[in-house]
Amino acid sequence: MKRTTSVIRRAVLAAAAVALAAGCTAQAADPGGGGASPSTGATKPPTTAAPTGTASPSDSPTGSPSDSPTTDGKPPSPSASPSTSSSASKALMADGDESEQVRELQARLRQLGHFDRAPSGFYGTITAASVTAFQKKQGLPGTGSVDETTWQRLLAGSKKPTADELKPSTTNQLDTPDARCMTGRVLCISKESRTLAWMIDGRVVSSMDVRFGSENTPTREGTFNVGWKARKWTSTIYHTPMPYAMFFSGGQAVHYSADFAARGYNGASHGCVNVRDRAKLSALFDQVKVGDKVVVHW
């Protein structure tokens, strides 16, 4: 009996030793100093802290301090980003403008089939209608003027115009004749397309490129008649040659211009209608009679 009691006591002591060893191992596994859960006896899982200052991929800064995560880990509010004022609605080009950028606009529109004449560099009603057509095809408001959005769409959809596309060597394409040009013998002169069409009873007999006066010395618009002609004439005011001059409004006349032939639309007249094709104008001079109608229009 005494031997049995001794055996039982040794067994109990061994079990206690095993339990004590197990408790030390679990505690050692908790570097935070926490012991086993009082209710379950399970060990608390180790806590892994994120390295200080390390952001997750979605919070990576994009280059400016205002784009970095806030100290509480939340994404920055919209007001924290730099404010950008949109200039998309501001007109870059509109009716009445005249520039080399307008010429490029017309050349690019022509590539896309929205402008059916040679670029003139002047933004008139035909250009505005072409811009409106392009805008509607792009799903943009058809304003007829070019804002930043319209310009960027046009740049993306076309290629840089060549020198010949910007300033074709061929005659500018005529626009629709003014109604006043449809009867009789008429020098029908369009400021929009920069052309002169010699018309008889609504039929175009010949046409040529023309140049007009500057903003300070504009070519007058309206209906006139050829008052007199001079095959050789020199301006009494500017002392420059005016061959094949056909005067229609005071000192303003249709005449050949060597400056126009040399410089093109980089220059302007003092109000006259300049022609750069001497041979064409010489032939026209012989056909036009004093009293024939002259219509200068947009």
Side-chain angles (χ1 to χ4, degrees):
M1 181 66 178
K2 186 179 294 187
R3 178 179 177 82
T4 301
T5 301
S6 178
V7 171
I8 292 173
R9 183 179 297 173
R10 286 196 300 269
V12 171
L13 290 174
V18 172
L20 180 59
C24 290
T25 303
Q27 190 174 9
D30 184 3
S37 170
S39 58
T40 62
T43 60
K44 182 179 179 181
T47 302
T48 304
T52 304
T54 302
S56 64
S58 60
D59 294 327
S60 298
T62 58
S64 62
S66 60
D67 293 329
S68 302
T70 56
T71 55
D72 59 1
K74 296 180 181 179
S77 63
S79 60
S81 300
S83 59
T84 55
S85 57
S86 174
S87 59
S89 59
K90 182 180 179 181
L92 302 178
M93 291 170 274
D95 193 6
D97 289 347
E98 187 169 11
S99 67
E100 289 306 302
Q101 188 179 25
V102 172
R103 186 186 299 278
E104 181 181 351
L105 166 72
Q106 293 166 334
R108 288 179 179 273
L109 288 170
R110 192 177 189 184
Q111 290 177 9
L112 302 178
H114 291 293
F115 193 75
D116 61 354
R117 61 203 65 234
S120 65
F122 179 78
Y123 202 121
T125 54
I126 293 176
T127 302
S130 300
V131 170
T132 298
F134 172 76
Q135 289 172 326
K136 289 182 177 179
K137 188 172 182 179
Q138 292 290 315
L140 301 173
T143 62
S145 60
V146 179
D147 58 12
E148 185 64 30
T149 300
T150 301
W151 183 240
Q152 291 301 324
R153 292 281 185 91
L154 184 59
L155 291 180
S158 59
K159 60 182 178 64
K160 183 178 180 180
T162 63
D164 191 59
E165 286 177 315
L166 290 171
K167 297 180 179 180
S169 56
T170 56
T171 301
N172 294 338
Q173 186 170 339
L174 299 174
D175 59 5
T176 302
D178 187 274
R180 294 168 291 179
C181 300
M182 300 308 293
T183 57
R185 298 163 56 89
V186 190
L187 290 173
C188 192
I189 302 169
S190 169
K191 285 188 171 182
E192 172 71 23
S193 61
R194 294 181 175 182
T195 56
L196 180 155
W198 169 233
M199 302 180 65
I200 299 178
D201 295 329
R203 181 176 63 89
V204 176
V205 178
S206 64
S207 63
M208 56 206 72
D209 300 344
V210 293
R211 186 179 72 173
F212 303 99
S214 66
E215 184 178 350
N216 296 325
T217 56
T219 302
R220 289 184 281 274
E221 301 154 26
T223 302
F224 312 93
N225 294 96
V226 176
W228 58 288
K229 300 167 55 180
R231 188 177 296 275
K232 294 181 180 181
W233 185 258
T234 299
S235 171
T236 58
I237 300 175
Y238 303 106
H239 310 292
T240 54
M242 298 171 56
Y244 306 105
M246 295 176 279
F247 290 87
F248 61 88
S249 178
Q252 295 192 354
V254 175
H255 69 84
Y256 170 73
S257 168
D259 181 74
F260 183 26
R263 299 172 58 204
Y265 292 104
N266 291 324
S269 75
H270 290 98
C272 288
V273 178
N274 291 166
V275 178
R276 62 180 168 188
D277 191 322
R278 190 183 186 109
K280 277 190 174 183
L281 184 59
S282 174
L284 176 63
F285 184 88
D286 292 336
Q287 297 176 52
V288 174
K289 300 176 182 178
V290 172
D292 284 344
K293 187 163 55 175
V294 178
V295 176
V296 181
H297 67 94
W298 281 108

